[in-house]
Amino acid sequence: MNSHYRFGAVALFVCCTLCLPGCESRDEIPAAFIGSWQSDEQLTLESMRGSKLVDAAARATFEDDFFGRLIVDYRQYEGRSYFVDSAERPEFEPHDIVDSGPSFVTFRVPDNEKLGLDTERTWYVDEDLMIVRLDEWGFVEVFRRIEE
C-alpha cells in the first residue's frame, strides 16, 4: 500500500472520529410541519371538555380565552412560538427532535421539566391541522395552518 494513501486514510479516520462528533447537528423537521400555525380555540376546547383529568380551576382558566392565541412558526431547522397579541416576535431556535416521520415529530422540551410537565411532546399533522397531545391533561391542542 502506498504510504501517501495510508497517511490520507489515517488522517481521514482521525478527522472523522475526533472532529465530526463535535460538529453541531441540525435537526430537520418533516416538511408537512413547515409554516405557521395558530391554536384553534373551538376544536381544542371540544377536546378539553371531554377530559376527566381537567379540574374545575384549570377548566375555568382554559375556558377564559386561553386557547386560540398561540402561533407556532416552523422552518426546516428551527421554530418559535408567540401569542397573537405579542408586541415582539421571539428569535427562532433550533429544533431538538427525538423522533419523526412524515406526519409526526417528537420534540425534547427541557423547560417543561421545571413546570412538572413531560419533557417530550409529540405533534401530528393532518393536512391543515396540527395536533399536540397534552397527556397530563387528557386532551389535545389543535392548530390550523395560517398564512403569515
Side-chain angles (χ1 to χ4, degrees):
M1 181 184 286
N2 181 323
S3 65
H4 291 313
Y5 176 77
R6 272 187 294 189
F7 176 77
V10 169
L12 180 62
F13 173 78
V14 169
C15 180
C16 288
T17 56
L18 296 180
C19 300
L20 291 181
C23 293
E24 181 180 326
S25 67
R26 294 177 51 150
D27 290 340
E28 183 175 354
I29 197 167
F33 289 88
I34 294 174
S36 295
W37 304 83
Q38 183 170 354
S39 175
D40 185 292
E41 182 179 33
Q42 180 181 348
L43 292 176
T44 301
L45 286 176
E46 284 177 23
S47 176
M48 185 271 303
R49 289 175 183 137
S51 174
K52 305 258 189 270
L53 299 177
V54 180
D55 63 31
R59 188 173 305 275
T61 299
F62 292 152
E63 293 274 358
D64 188 24
D65 202 27
F66 186 86
F67 296 107
R69 300 179 314 117
L70 183 64
I71 303 283
V72 178
D73 294 329
Y74 287 130
R75 294 180 178 169
Q76 187 174 13
Y77 298 106
E78 56 195 7
R80 68 180 179 184
S81 61
Y82 55 91
F83 291 101
V84 172
D85 50 1
S86 298
E88 296 181 26
R89 301 292 187 259
E91 296 294 318
F92 282 88
E93 296 191 14
H95 299 307
D96 188 356
I97 296 175
V98 176
D99 193 13
S100 67
S103 62
F104 81 94
V105 62
T106 302
F107 293 106
R108 184 173 292 108
V109 188
D111 289 344
N112 277 2
E113 187 172 10
K114 298 173 198 165
L115 303 172
L117 304 174
D118 292 337
T119 57
E120 294 181 1
R121 287 270 190 234
T122 300
W123 296 73
Y124 302 89
V125 69
D126 183 12
E127 296 184 21
D128 288 335
L129 292 180
M130 183 173 68
I131 298 164
V132 59
R133 290 184 11 222
L134 305 171
D135 292 335
E136 61 273 11
W137 296 103
F139 68 95
V140 298
E141 184 169 5
V142 181
F143 292 77
R144 289 193 180 276
R145 188 180 297 278
I146 59 171
E147 297 296 321
E148 288 246 25

